[in-house]
């Protein structure tokens, strides 16, 4: 008797998730509490291999606390740009220890790229987009190739550009079709504060000094009462995002781009 034909293995090269998947997930979790949604995503594997991307900024501890109540081993990706406030680095270590999270991944810029394109360390002063590309966009893009989805701490109230943010999105920074999950998308500033109060989470020390949104030290300034919480980021520049949440961010600047001034 002839042997049955061997089944041919097929390697899928399509995107991990589609727009239809995103629509279905947003519909399924439209009225579901945040913690229940996170529990389903992590325990049912709805998003595949997932990592949390955290700046350890003013409100970062809330999302990390929620994740830690479910799975303390979720990878936490931190973009260690070399330009952070010392207080942020201390806060990172404090929060990770407090929550008992076990998988901090510090992402650093490529050393050759820094030497070639920011040897003085001053690129932020004349080309903040280029600085962010080297120190944030490129390192994160490389790290996320190993994951199917990422959690972010973005919230709709933070700025006009984030209004209407959905819980589930397609990550449009490349063509891999990862999910970008924003568990706190619909939370208000009052809800965030109430969560800090209820859990006793430590506040970032710079919040009390007038920094409601905290990024790299050269590009972050204090915010006056009543101003947009992110108005202190890249003040004076036509720039509202570092690039990691901008569609096609990895291709915004051509290879080797260097401004003439």
């Amino acid at each position: 008797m002839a042997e049955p034909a061997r089944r041919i293995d097929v390697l899928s090269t399509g995107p991990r998730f589609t727009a239809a998947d995103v629509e279905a997930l947003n519909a399924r979790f439209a009225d579901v509490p945040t913690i229940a949604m996170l529990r389903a995503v992590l325990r049912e594997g709805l998003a595949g291999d997932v990592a949390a991307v955290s700046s350890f900024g003013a409100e970062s501890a809330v999302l990390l606390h929620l994740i830690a109540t479910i799975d303390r081993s979720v990878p936490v990706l931190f973009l260690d740009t070399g330009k952070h406030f010392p207080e942020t680095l201390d806060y990172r270590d404090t929060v990770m220890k407090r929550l008992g999270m076990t998988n901090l991944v510090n992402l650093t810029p490529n050393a050759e790229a820094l030497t070639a394109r920011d040897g003085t360390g001053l690129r932020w002063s004349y080309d903040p987009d280029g600085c962010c590309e080297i120190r944030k966009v490129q390192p994160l893009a490389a790290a996320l190739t190993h994951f199917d989805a990422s959690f972010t701490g973005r919230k709709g109230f933070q700025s006009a550009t984030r209004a209407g943010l959905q819980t589930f999105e397609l990550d449009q920074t490349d063509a891999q079709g990862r999910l970008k999950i924003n568990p706190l998308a619909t939370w208000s500033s009052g809800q965030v504060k109430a969560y800090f109060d209820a859990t006793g989470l430590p506040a970032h020390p710079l919040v009390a000094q007038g920094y409601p949104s905290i990024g790299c030290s050269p590009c972050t300034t204090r915010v006056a009462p009543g101003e947009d919480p992110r108005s202190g980021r890249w003040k004076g520049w036509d720039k509202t995002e570092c690039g990691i949440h901008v569609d096609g961010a990895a291709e915004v600047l051509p290879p080797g781009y260097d401004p003439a001034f």
Side-chain angles (χ1 to χ4, degrees), residues 4-231:
R6 180 181 178 277
R7 182 175 180 273
I8 298 175
D9 295 327
V10 178
L11 178 64
S12 173
T13 57
R16 292 168 167 87
F17 296 93
T18 66
D21 295 325
V22 168
E23 183 177 359
L25 286 166
N26 278 318
R28 172 177 172 179
F29 293 105
D31 298 311
V32 175
T34 302
I35 189 64
M37 179 276 289
L38 284 168
R39 190 177 294 114
V41 167
L42 290 171
R43 292 183 177 172
E44 297 177 27
L46 298 181
D49 292 326
V50 60
V53 179
S54 181
S55 66
F56 288 91
E59 299 160 347
S60 297
V62 171
L63 176 58
L64 294 176
H65 184 273
L66 287 164
I67 293 171
T69 62
I70 302 164
D71 185 352
R72 294 178 178 176
S73 69
V74 170
V76 179
L77 310 184
F78 173 67
L79 289 158
D80 193 347
T81 64
K83 297 290 184 181
H84 283 294
F85 290 97
E87 290 91 339
T88 295
L89 302 180
D90 291 342
Y91 188 62
R92 171 199 61 190
D93 298 340
T94 296
V95 170
M96 289 296 291
K97 182 177 180 180
R98 168 74 175 270
L99 300 182
M101 299 191 82
T102 60
N103 197 356
L104 175 67
V105 182
N106 290 303
L107 305 177
T108 56
N110 177 275
E112 292 182 2
L114 277 182
T115 299
R117 300 184 57 199
D118 195 14
T120 65
L122 294 174
R123 195 177 189 105
W124 62 268
S125 66
Y126 62 90
D127 178 26
D129 283 335
C131 184
C132 287
E133 182 200 15
I134 300 166
R135 297 175 183 274
K136 291 186 175 182
V137 176
Q138 292 178 350
L140 183 60
L144 287 180
T145 60
H146 304 293
F147 297 96
D148 302 306
S150 63
F151 292 122
T152 91
R154 292 184 300 161
K155 306 161 199 72
F157 75 81
Q158 291 175 316
S159 65
T161 57
R162 294 184 176 184
L165 189 67
Q166 292 190 310
T167 301
F168 294 89
E169 303 175 287
L170 277 183
D171 187 336
Q172 302 286 359
T173 56
D174 56 34
Q176 295 190 36
R178 280 185 302 273
L179 280 180
K180 187 177 288 186
I181 307 171
N182 310 302
L184 309 182
T186 62
W187 282 41
S188 67
S189 59
Q191 285 177 287
V192 173
K193 182 182 184 304
Y195 196 91
F196 268 99
D197 292 343
T199 57
L201 286 170
H204 192 299
L206 292 180
V207 171
Q209 298 180 37
Y211 295 86
S213 180
I214 303 160
C216 292
S217 58
C219 298
T220 305
T221 57
R222 288 180 173 85
V223 171
E227 285 188 312
D228 185 310
R230 288 179 59 82
S231 64

